[in-house]
Amino acid sequence: MLSRLVYASRATAPHQADLPVILQWCEDVNPSLGVTGLLCCLDGVYMQYLEGEDAVLDELFASIRKDSRHSGATILERRPIPQRAFPQWSMKLMEWDERSKAIFQSFSPGANLDLYATDASTAAPLMRALIREADWKL
Ligand SMILES: Cc1cc2nc3c(=O)[nH]c(=O)nc-3n(C[C@H](O)[C@H](O)[C@H](O)COP(=O)(O)O)c2cc1C
């Protein structure tokens, strides 16, 4: 069954050096797994939206969770989906700017800009709003 899994984690070191490595993994591996999605990184917190077949997501998330480049990986949402939100993207990286921060704040009014504290019920809609509205960089 096709599902999505959204988690948040904290980078263990300044993430600028890790991001190209992580994206390279995604580019090399995710297409062959049929995994698509989005990776956001803000102030040392990752939020990743993964979509793919259940068994594949289990295996991939087990490997991601063990990665020493981050810690505290916590699943915010996992559920079956009828279709993908990100069919074209093996993994896209979002860099935050004023516009995307405003989108974040529209989902969590008054909250600190802390992705790790994002409410589980808003994590997936937030990421889908970001894809529609924010400026994207590879
Ligand atoms: C935040 C984060 C997101 C990652 N996302 C993916 C991903 O979507 N696909 C992937 O193949 N590896 C991803 N990785 C890398 C994996 O955690 C892992 O390093 C890689 O799959 C190699 O695992 P292995 O050494 O167990 O084979 C990610 C790592 C981090 C820190």
Side-chain angles (χ1 to χ4, degrees):
M1 186 189 295
L2 190 64
S3 289
R4 71 177 178 231
L5 186 162
V6 184
Y7 74 85
S9 63
R10 293 189 186 280
T12 40
H15 58 267
Q16 281 79 3
D18 288 338
L19 280 172
V21 180
I22 293 171
L23 287 174
Q24 191 62 51
W25 271 111
C26 295
E27 210 170 286
D28 292 347
V29 176
N30 292 8
S32 62
L33 298 177
V35 168
T36 48
L38 173 64
L39 177 64
C40 293
C41 189
L42 175 67
D43 293 342
V45 176
Y46 292 115
M47 189 180 280
Q48 193 173 22
Y49 186 123
L50 297 161
E51 43 192 22
E53 289 297 320
D54 272 322
V56 171
L57 288 184
D58 285 339
E59 204 169 320
L60 178 60
F61 185 64
S63 134
I64 291 175
R65 179 172 246 162
K66 282 188 296 190
D67 196 310
S68 61
R69 286 172 283 229
H70 64 170
S71 64
T74 303
I75 295 180
L76 295 171
E77 195 199 58
R78 177 170 186 158
R79 62 161 63 184
I81 47 172
Q83 64 196 34
R84 293 172 193 263
F86 307 97
Q88 319 288 344
W89 298 352
S90 62
M91 192 55 56
K92 189 112 163 176
L93 172 69
M94 206 200 83
E95 304 219 50
W96 290 76
D97 58 15
E98 291 313 311
R99 188 146 184 233
S100 47
K101 286 178 185 174
I103 294 169
F104 176 89
Q105 272 155 347
S106 73
F107 276 83
S108 306
N112 290 335
L113 264 179
D114 179 359
L115 272 186
Y116 199 73
T118 304
D119 190 81
S121 65
T122 56
L126 167 67
M127 293 189 96
R128 287 197 303 273
L130 288 169
I131 181 194
R132 283 195 304 271
E133 313 225 5
D135 286 333
W136 290 90
K137 295 173 189 155
L138 272 175

